Amino acid sequence: MTVLTSQNVVKRFTEGKQTVEVLKGVSLDASRGEIVALEGPSGSGKTTFLSILGCILTPTEGRVVVDGQEVDLSRPGDLPAIRRRSIGFVFQQFNLFPALSAVENVEYSLNVRGVKGSAARREAERVLDAVGLADRKAFLPRDLSGGQKQRVAIARALAGAPPLLLADEPTANLDSHAGRQVLELFRDLAKRENRALVIVTHDPIVRSIADRVAVIHDGLLAA
Amino acid sequence: MVSLARRNLFHDKLRFVITIAGVAFAVTLVFVQVGLFLGLLDNASVTIENIDADLWVTSRNTPNVDFAHTFPESYVQRVRSVPGVARADNLIVWFMQLSLPTGAQEGTLVYALEDFKAWNLPWSVIEGHVEDLPRGDFFFLDDSATRRYGPFAVGQHREISERRLKIIGRTDAARSFTTTPIAFMDTALAQELSYQALRGNTTYVLVKLAPGADVAAVRAEIGRRLPYNDVFTKAEWAQRSRAYWVANTGIGLNTYLTVFLGILVGVVVVALTLYTSTMEHLKEFGTVKAIGGSNADIYRILAEQSVIAAVLGFAVGAVFALAAGPGMEKAGLKLIITPDFGAIVLVGTVLLCLAASMVSFRKVAALDPALVFRG
């Protein structure tokens, strides 16, 4: 079942009098349980594309459908609701809240999604158990290793069962061993919980866990 | 619910302490300045508030209770004959000179009546019997005089207007705005001491209304019979006495200015600390937005932080201000902090801190969540 559809996505930025076309008509789909690696050199537009797929940016032209809901380009105010309901993010620099413990980091994202109270706490503990951090729930991010922080970030993305997971260079700040462990865990969980996973990466290891690799170059998808 | 606002606020302890200290400083300043102001204004009308009179007849345009002018004492007869008046008596309020054992002279504000008991004056007697005042060259002195006159005791003598009088009682809580100590004596004695000004004269007529009497009608009738005097209700006269000092001295402006500066300092401290905190947590706010948080979620975080800072800062500031009270009392200053006043300061503190948080909110509202993808 297709969770993500993007067709002919164009994105132009205006800087002063100059208009720069970063994406020139990119199309990409992802289905439940599928892992897609999105590769490309720096400046190729892959992070911009990920932002559009994640409903953080709106495309200048084109069509994006997330979990059956079409993104209305004229209503950017609707985007937070789509993100809350359907998308989990994993960031290159983890982006955990330093003042919150591991379990609270996950629980807070659930609160933002509208899950409150003991239900949020139970779900947070479940996903932390799933990423192997049952014994690190009460730790603050500063007391966790890089790999553990990224596991918390993965747990946060999984919490609340969003059908689409988007990861931006999730192994960039990890050593190769920790990076591989995190990727394998991410793959296993995405498959087990039947989520679509799109990973933007430079890391060649990602190819080994992906079902499909898409390469973006100069704002266009290469085959 | 996980409170990111609270956890972020308490996470950076130094900034948290600075924020609370800023609010507490402002709150203490407002409490002390306004409290002292209220204390001074209370002094300006404390005798009016405690004397058991419904109406005060004064000479025309008397500005406040301390600055009395004379008029014939016989006017009291006209007042007594007005229907609805249960009792009317002359009251003299007059500045006199008191000689100290050191040879120095100080002013004293004399309150003179024929029947003190009937008018609840003085209202707080520590020692002595006011009924004894007409029986000789006697007077009562308020304890607040110790600060200006030095220690004194019942049985000792002091000269007032060059006449040796015996202290036969001590009172408490009788104050004047000018801090001139208050003495109580019999009307006839006061008239003898200030013979030229007070002979056959009084400065006020106190009026007690009969039960059920129409205040406005009685007042109008007294006004008709005494066309060259003014008639005030107790509340009006107290307000007029207080307003004189606010309008004619720098105290009102000084208090408003200090309160304004205190508020300004508090708002600036809160706004700056919240703003710098927000700047440091910008990426976190970006993350909140990226995971689906709205601007309302962000404002809730900032608002919760500012309310916590306001309430804790208020509590610390109020404790400091209350703790300063006894020390100020020893220095002869009256600090009045009522529950109503406290509630107003609390509400004001919360509202101003919320307003201060808007400075940060403007920054975060415009934040692009896409920054979470930037290394």
Side-chain angles (χ1 to χ4, degrees), chain B residues 254-306:
Chain B
N254 175 58
T255 303
Y256 297 140
L257 204 62
T258 314
V259 167
F260 171 73
L261 288 175
I263 289 170
L264 190 68
V265 168
V267 169
V268 168
V269 167
V270 172
L272 271 180
T273 50
L274 278 181
Y275 187 76
T276 52
S277 168
T278 304
M279 289 292 99
E280 283 179 21
H281 293 103
L282 220 46
K283 195 139 192 173
E284 290 177 44
F285 287 119
T287 306
V288 172
K289 282 191 166 186
I291 64 178
S294 61
N295 275 341
D297 291 321
I298 304 276
Y299 187 63
R300 264 196 291 277
I301 293 171
L302 295 173
E304 189 180 340
Q305 289 182 334
S306 59

Short mmCIF file of all heavy atoms in Angstrom, two decimals, chain B residues 254-306:
data_model
loop_
_atom_site.label_atom_id
_atom_site.label_comp_id
_atom_site.label_asym_id
_atom_site.label_seq_id
_atom_site.Cartn_x
_atom_site.Cartn_y
_atom_site.Cartn_z
N ASN B 254 7.25 60.67 42.55
CA ASN B 254 8.41 59.84 42.92
C ASN B 254 8.02 58.37 42.99
O ASN B 254 8.72 57.49 42.48
CB ASN B 254 8.96 60.32 44.27
CG ASN B 254 10.07 59.43 44.75
OD1 ASN B 254 11.07 59.26 44.08
ND2 ASN B 254 9.89 58.85 45.92
N THR B 255 6.87 58.10 43.61
CA THR B 255 6.43 56.71 43.74
C THR B 255 6.11 56.13 42.38
O THR B 255 6.54 55.02 42.05
CB THR B 255 5.20 56.62 44.67
OG1 THR B 255 5.55 57.19 45.92
CG2 THR B 255 4.76 55.18 44.86
N TYR B 256 5.37 56.89 41.57
CA TYR B 256 5.01 56.37 40.24
C TYR B 256 6.27 56.07 39.43
O TYR B 256 6.37 55.06 38.74
CB TYR B 256 4.13 57.37 39.49
CG TYR B 256 2.81 57.64 40.15
CD1 TYR B 256 2.27 58.92 40.20
CD2 TYR B 256 2.08 56.61 40.75
CE1 TYR B 256 1.06 59.17 40.84
CE2 TYR B 256 0.87 56.86 41.39
CZ TYR B 256 0.37 58.14 41.43
OH TYR B 256 -0.83 58.38 42.06
N LEU B 257 7.25 56.98 39.54
CA LEU B 257 8.48 56.83 38.78
C LEU B 257 9.25 55.58 39.22
O LEU B 257 9.73 54.80 38.39
CB LEU B 257 9.35 58.08 38.98
CG LEU B 257 10.36 58.38 37.90
CD1 LEU B 257 9.66 58.64 36.57
CD2 LEU B 257 11.20 59.60 38.28
N THR B 258 9.34 55.40 40.54
CA THR B 258 10.07 54.23 41.05
C THR B 258 9.36 52.94 40.67
O THR B 258 10.00 51.96 40.28
CB THR B 258 10.21 54.32 42.58
OG1 THR B 258 10.61 55.62 42.92
CG2 THR B 258 11.20 53.30 43.09
N VAL B 259 8.03 52.96 40.78
CA VAL B 259 7.27 51.76 40.41
C VAL B 259 7.47 51.47 38.92
O VAL B 259 7.71 50.33 38.52
CB VAL B 259 5.77 51.96 40.72
CG1 VAL B 259 4.92 50.87 40.07
CG2 VAL B 259 5.55 51.96 42.22
N PHE B 260 7.44 52.52 38.11
CA PHE B 260 7.64 52.34 36.68
C PHE B 260 9.02 51.75 36.40
O PHE B 260 9.15 50.82 35.61
CB PHE B 260 7.49 53.69 35.96
CG PHE B 260 7.87 53.66 34.51
CD1 PHE B 260 7.05 53.04 33.58
CD2 PHE B 260 9.07 54.21 34.08
CE1 PHE B 260 7.42 53.00 32.25
CE2 PHE B 260 9.44 54.17 32.76
CZ PHE B 260 8.61 53.55 31.84
N LEU B 261 10.04 52.29 37.08
CA LEU B 261 11.39 51.78 36.87
C LEU B 261 11.51 50.33 37.33
O LEU B 261 12.15 49.51 36.67
CB LEU B 261 12.41 52.65 37.61
CG LEU B 261 12.65 54.04 37.00
CD1 LEU B 261 13.58 54.86 37.87
CD2 LEU B 261 13.22 53.91 35.60
N GLY B 262 10.89 50.03 38.47
CA GLY B 262 10.91 48.65 38.97
C GLY B 262 10.28 47.71 37.97
O GLY B 262 10.83 46.64 37.66
N ILE B 263 9.13 48.11 37.45
CA ILE B 263 8.44 47.27 36.47
C ILE B 263 9.29 47.12 35.22
O ILE B 263 9.44 46.02 34.67
CB ILE B 263 7.06 47.88 36.13
CG1 ILE B 263 6.12 47.71 37.33
CG2 ILE B 263 6.46 47.23 34.90
CD1 ILE B 263 4.82 48.49 37.20
N LEU B 264 9.89 48.24 34.80
CA LEU B 264 10.72 48.21 33.60
C LEU B 264 11.88 47.24 33.77
O LEU B 264 12.15 46.41 32.88
CB LEU B 264 11.25 49.62 33.31
CG LEU B 264 11.93 49.82 31.96
CD1 LEU B 264 10.91 49.70 30.83
CD2 LEU B 264 12.61 51.18 31.89
N VAL B 265 12.54 47.31 34.91
CA VAL B 265 13.67 46.41 35.17
C VAL B 265 13.19 44.96 35.12
O VAL B 265 13.81 44.10 34.47
CB VAL B 265 14.32 46.72 36.55
CG1 VAL B 265 15.28 45.61 36.96
CG2 VAL B 265 15.05 48.05 36.49
N GLY B 266 12.07 44.69 35.80
CA GLY B 266 11.56 43.32 35.82
C GLY B 266 11.22 42.82 34.43
O GLY B 266 11.61 41.71 34.04
N VAL B 267 10.51 43.65 33.66
CA VAL B 267 10.11 43.23 32.31
C VAL B 267 11.33 43.02 31.43
O VAL B 267 11.41 42.02 30.69
CB VAL B 267 9.16 44.28 31.68
CG1 VAL B 267 8.94 44.00 30.21
CG2 VAL B 267 7.82 44.27 32.40
N VAL B 268 12.29 43.92 31.52
CA VAL B 268 13.48 43.80 30.67
C VAL B 268 14.26 42.53 31.04
O VAL B 268 14.70 41.79 30.16
CB VAL B 268 14.37 45.07 30.80
CG1 VAL B 268 15.73 44.83 30.17
CG2 VAL B 268 13.69 46.24 30.12
N VAL B 269 14.41 42.28 32.34
CA VAL B 269 15.16 41.09 32.76
C VAL B 269 14.46 39.82 32.25
O VAL B 269 15.09 38.93 31.66
CB VAL B 269 15.31 41.04 34.30
CG1 VAL B 269 15.80 39.66 34.74
CG2 VAL B 269 16.30 42.10 34.76
N VAL B 270 13.15 39.75 32.46
CA VAL B 270 12.41 38.56 32.02
C VAL B 270 12.47 38.43 30.50
O VAL B 270 12.74 37.35 29.96
CB VAL B 270 10.94 38.61 32.50
CG1 VAL B 270 10.14 37.48 31.89
CG2 VAL B 270 10.90 38.51 34.01
N ALA B 271 12.24 39.55 29.81
CA ALA B 271 12.25 39.50 28.35
C ALA B 271 13.62 39.07 27.84
O ALA B 271 13.71 38.21 26.95
CB ALA B 271 11.87 40.86 27.78
N LEU B 272 14.68 39.63 28.43
CA LEU B 272 16.02 39.30 27.96
C LEU B 272 16.40 37.85 28.25
O LEU B 272 16.94 37.15 27.39
CB LEU B 272 17.05 40.23 28.61
CG LEU B 272 17.34 41.52 27.87
CD1 LEU B 272 18.36 42.35 28.62
CD2 LEU B 272 17.85 41.23 26.47
N THR B 273 16.11 37.40 29.48
CA THR B 273 16.51 36.02 29.81
C THR B 273 15.69 35.02 29.00
O THR B 273 16.22 34.03 28.52
CB THR B 273 16.37 35.73 31.31
OG1 THR B 273 15.07 36.12 31.73
CG2 THR B 273 17.41 36.45 32.13
N LEU B 274 14.40 35.32 28.82
CA LEU B 274 13.59 34.41 28.00
C LEU B 274 14.07 34.44 26.55
O LEU B 274 14.12 33.40 25.88
CB LEU B 274 12.11 34.80 28.05
CG LEU B 274 11.31 34.30 29.25
CD1 LEU B 274 9.85 34.76 29.13
CD2 LEU B 274 11.35 32.79 29.37
N TYR B 275 14.44 35.64 26.10
CA TYR B 275 14.87 35.77 24.72
C TYR B 275 16.18 35.01 24.48
O TYR B 275 16.30 34.26 23.51
CB TYR B 275 15.04 37.25 24.36
CG TYR B 275 15.32 37.49 22.90
CD1 TYR B 275 14.31 37.39 21.96
CD2 TYR B 275 16.60 37.82 22.46
CE1 TYR B 275 14.56 37.61 20.61
CE2 TYR B 275 16.86 38.04 21.11
CZ TYR B 275 15.84 37.93 20.20
OH TYR B 275 16.09 38.14 18.86
N THR B 276 17.16 35.21 25.38
CA THR B 276 18.44 34.51 25.19
C THR B 276 18.24 33.01 25.32
O THR B 276 18.84 32.22 24.59
CB THR B 276 19.51 34.98 26.20
OG1 THR B 276 18.96 34.89 27.51
CG2 THR B 276 19.95 36.39 25.93
N SER B 277 17.36 32.63 26.24
CA SER B 277 17.06 31.20 26.39
C SER B 277 16.43 30.66 25.10
O SER B 277 16.78 29.58 24.62
CB SER B 277 16.11 30.98 27.57
OG SER B 277 15.60 29.69 27.56
N THR B 278 15.51 31.44 24.55
CA THR B 278 14.85 31.02 23.31
C THR B 278 15.86 30.90 22.18
O THR B 278 15.84 29.94 21.40
CB THR B 278 13.75 32.04 22.92
OG1 THR B 278 12.85 32.15 24.00
CG2 THR B 278 13.01 31.60 21.67
N MET B 279 16.77 31.87 22.10
CA MET B 279 17.78 31.83 21.04
C MET B 279 18.63 30.57 21.17
O MET B 279 18.96 29.92 20.17
CB MET B 279 18.70 33.06 21.16
CG MET B 279 18.06 34.36 20.78
SD MET B 279 17.69 34.46 19.04
CE MET B 279 16.04 34.07 18.98
N GLU B 280 18.96 30.22 22.42
CA GLU B 280 19.79 29.03 22.62
C GLU B 280 19.02 27.74 22.33
O GLU B 280 19.62 26.71 22.03
CB GLU B 280 20.34 29.00 24.05
CG GLU B 280 21.50 29.96 24.23
CD GLU B 280 22.05 29.97 25.63
OE1 GLU B 280 21.82 28.99 26.37
OE2 GLU B 280 22.70 30.97 26.00
N HIS B 281 17.71 27.81 22.48
CA HIS B 281 16.90 26.61 22.25
C HIS B 281 16.18 26.66 20.91
O HIS B 281 15.20 25.93 20.70
CB HIS B 281 15.88 26.44 23.38
CG HIS B 281 16.50 26.13 24.71
ND1 HIS B 281 16.63 27.06 25.70
CD2 HIS B 281 17.04 25.00 25.19
CE1 HIS B 281 17.22 26.52 26.74
NE2 HIS B 281 17.48 25.26 26.46
N LEU B 282 16.67 27.51 20.01
CA LEU B 282 15.98 27.69 18.74
C LEU B 282 15.82 26.36 17.98
O LEU B 282 14.76 26.07 17.43
CB LEU B 282 16.77 28.68 17.88
CG LEU B 282 15.96 29.69 17.07
CD1 LEU B 282 14.85 30.32 17.88
CD2 LEU B 282 16.86 30.75 16.48
N LYS B 283 16.87 25.56 18.01
CA LYS B 283 16.81 24.29 17.29
C LYS B 283 15.76 23.36 17.92
O LYS B 283 15.07 22.60 17.23
CB LYS B 283 18.18 23.62 17.30
CG LYS B 283 18.30 22.51 16.30
CD LYS B 283 19.64 22.51 15.60
CE LYS B 283 19.60 21.59 14.42
NZ LYS B 283 20.79 21.66 13.60
N GLU B 284 15.64 23.45 19.26
CA GLU B 284 14.61 22.64 19.92
C GLU B 284 13.21 23.08 19.49
O GLU B 284 12.33 22.25 19.27
CB GLU B 284 14.74 22.75 21.44
CG GLU B 284 15.97 22.07 21.99
CD GLU B 284 16.10 22.25 23.47
OE1 GLU B 284 15.09 22.12 24.17
OE2 GLU B 284 17.21 22.56 23.92
N PHE B 285 13.03 24.40 19.40
CA PHE B 285 11.72 24.88 18.96
C PHE B 285 11.47 24.45 17.52
O PHE B 285 10.34 24.13 17.14
CB PHE B 285 11.62 26.39 19.11
CG PHE B 285 11.49 26.84 20.54
CD1 PHE B 285 12.43 27.66 21.13
CD2 PHE B 285 10.41 26.43 21.31
CE1 PHE B 285 12.32 28.06 22.45
CE2 PHE B 285 10.28 26.82 22.64
CZ PHE B 285 11.25 27.64 23.21
N GLY B 286 12.54 24.45 16.70
CA GLY B 286 12.42 23.95 15.34
C GLY B 286 12.00 22.50 15.33
O GLY B 286 11.16 22.07 14.53
N THR B 287 12.56 21.72 16.25
CA THR B 287 12.20 20.31 16.35
C THR B 287 10.74 20.15 16.75
O THR B 287 10.03 19.30 16.21
CB THR B 287 13.11 19.60 17.38
OG1 THR B 287 14.47 19.83 17.02
CG2 THR B 287 12.84 18.11 17.43
N VAL B 288 10.32 20.99 17.71
CA VAL B 288 8.90 20.93 18.13
C VAL B 288 8.01 21.17 16.91
O VAL B 288 7.02 20.45 16.70
CB VAL B 288 8.59 21.97 19.23
CG1 VAL B 288 7.09 22.03 19.51
CG2 VAL B 288 9.34 21.63 20.50
N LYS B 289 8.38 22.17 16.12
CA LYS B 289 7.57 22.45 14.92
C LYS B 289 7.65 21.30 13.93
O LYS B 289 6.64 20.91 13.33
CB LYS B 289 8.06 23.74 14.25
CG LYS B 289 7.60 25.00 14.94
CD LYS B 289 7.89 26.20 14.07
CE LYS B 289 7.15 27.43 14.55
NZ LYS B 289 7.30 28.56 13.65
N ALA B 290 8.87 20.74 13.75
CA ALA B 290 9.04 19.67 12.76
C ALA B 290 8.21 18.44 13.12
O ALA B 290 7.67 17.78 12.23
CB ALA B 290 10.52 19.31 12.65
N ILE B 291 8.11 18.15 14.41
CA ILE B 291 7.34 16.94 14.78
C ILE B 291 5.84 17.24 14.88
O ILE B 291 5.07 16.40 15.32
CB ILE B 291 7.86 16.30 16.09
CG1 ILE B 291 7.67 17.24 17.28
CG2 ILE B 291 9.30 15.86 15.95
CD1 ILE B 291 8.13 16.63 18.62
N GLY B 292 5.47 18.44 14.46
CA GLY B 292 4.04 18.72 14.34
C GLY B 292 3.50 19.76 15.29
O GLY B 292 2.31 20.05 15.29
N GLY B 293 4.38 20.33 16.12
CA GLY B 293 3.92 21.36 17.05
C GLY B 293 3.55 22.63 16.31
O GLY B 293 4.17 22.98 15.31
N SER B 294 2.53 23.30 16.81
CA SER B 294 2.06 24.53 16.17
C SER B 294 2.67 25.73 16.90
O SER B 294 3.31 25.59 17.95
CB SER B 294 0.54 24.61 16.24
OG SER B 294 0.15 24.61 17.60
N ASN B 295 2.43 26.92 16.37
CA ASN B 295 2.87 28.13 17.06
C ASN B 295 2.20 28.24 18.43
O ASN B 295 2.79 28.76 19.37
CB ASN B 295 2.54 29.37 16.22
CG ASN B 295 3.65 29.65 15.20
OD1 ASN B 295 4.77 29.16 15.36
ND2 ASN B 295 3.33 30.41 14.19
N ALA B 296 0.98 27.74 18.53
CA ALA B 296 0.29 27.78 19.83
C ALA B 296 1.02 26.91 20.85
O ALA B 296 1.15 27.28 22.02
CB ALA B 296 -1.15 27.30 19.66
N ASP B 297 1.53 25.74 20.39
CA ASP B 297 2.32 24.88 21.30
C ASP B 297 3.55 25.63 21.79
O ASP B 297 3.92 25.55 22.97
CB ASP B 297 2.75 23.60 20.58
CG ASP B 297 1.57 22.69 20.28
OD1 ASP B 297 0.69 22.58 21.15
OD2 ASP B 297 1.53 22.11 19.18
N ILE B 298 4.20 26.33 20.86
CA ILE B 298 5.42 27.07 21.22
C ILE B 298 5.07 28.18 22.21
O ILE B 298 5.77 28.38 23.20
CB ILE B 298 6.05 27.72 19.96
CG1 ILE B 298 6.33 26.66 18.89
CG2 ILE B 298 7.30 28.51 20.34
CD1 ILE B 298 7.59 25.91 19.01
N TYR B 299 3.97 28.90 21.94
CA TYR B 299 3.63 29.99 22.84
C TYR B 299 3.27 29.46 24.22
O TYR B 299 3.58 30.09 25.24
CB TYR B 299 2.50 30.86 22.30
CG TYR B 299 2.33 32.07 23.19
CD1 TYR B 299 3.37 33.00 23.31
CD2 TYR B 299 1.21 32.24 23.97
CE1 TYR B 299 3.28 34.07 24.18
CE2 TYR B 299 1.11 33.31 24.84
CZ TYR B 299 2.14 34.22 24.93
OH TYR B 299 2.06 35.27 25.79
N ARG B 300 2.64 28.28 24.25
CA ARG B 300 2.32 27.68 25.56
C ARG B 300 3.60 27.45 26.35
O ARG B 300 3.63 27.64 27.57
CB ARG B 300 1.55 26.39 25.36
CG ARG B 300 0.03 26.58 25.47
CD ARG B 300 -0.69 25.26 25.66
NE ARG B 300 -0.63 24.44 24.46
CZ ARG B 300 -1.47 24.58 23.43
NH1 ARG B 300 -2.43 25.47 23.48
NH2 ARG B 300 -1.34 23.82 22.36
N ILE B 301 4.65 26.99 25.65
CA ILE B 301 5.93 26.75 26.33
C ILE B 301 6.47 28.06 26.91
O ILE B 301 6.82 28.15 28.10
CB ILE B 301 6.97 26.15 25.35
CG1 ILE B 301 6.54 24.74 24.94
CG2 ILE B 301 8.36 26.13 25.97
CD1 ILE B 301 7.39 24.16 23.81
N LEU B 302 6.51 29.11 26.07
CA LEU B 302 7.05 30.40 26.53
C LEU B 302 6.17 31.01 27.62
O LEU B 302 6.67 31.57 28.60
CB LEU B 302 7.17 31.36 25.34
CG LEU B 302 8.17 30.95 24.26
CD1 LEU B 302 8.09 31.88 23.07
CD2 LEU B 302 9.59 30.95 24.82
N ALA B 303 4.86 30.87 27.44
CA ALA B 303 3.94 31.44 28.43
C ALA B 303 4.09 30.72 29.77
O ALA B 303 4.12 31.36 30.83
CB ALA B 303 2.50 31.33 27.93
N GLU B 304 4.21 29.39 29.72
CA GLU B 304 4.37 28.64 30.97
C GLU B 304 5.66 29.06 31.68
O GLU B 304 5.67 29.25 32.90
CB GLU B 304 4.39 27.13 30.68
CG GLU B 304 4.33 26.28 31.95
CD GLU B 304 4.34 24.79 31.67
OE1 GLU B 304 4.01 24.38 30.54
OE2 GLU B 304 4.70 24.02 32.58
N GLN B 305 6.72 29.24 30.90
CA GLN B 305 7.98 29.67 31.51
C GLN B 305 7.85 31.05 32.14
O GLN B 305 8.34 31.28 33.26
CB GLN B 305 9.10 29.70 30.45
CG GLN B 305 9.52 28.30 30.02
CD GLN B 305 10.66 28.31 29.01
OE1 GLN B 305 10.84 29.26 28.28
NE2 GLN B 305 11.41 27.22 28.99
N SER B 306 7.17 31.95 31.45
CA SER B 306 7.06 33.30 32.01
C SER B 306 6.14 33.32 33.22
O SER B 306 6.39 34.07 34.17
CB SER B 306 6.58 34.29 30.94
OG SER B 306 5.34 33.92 30.45
#
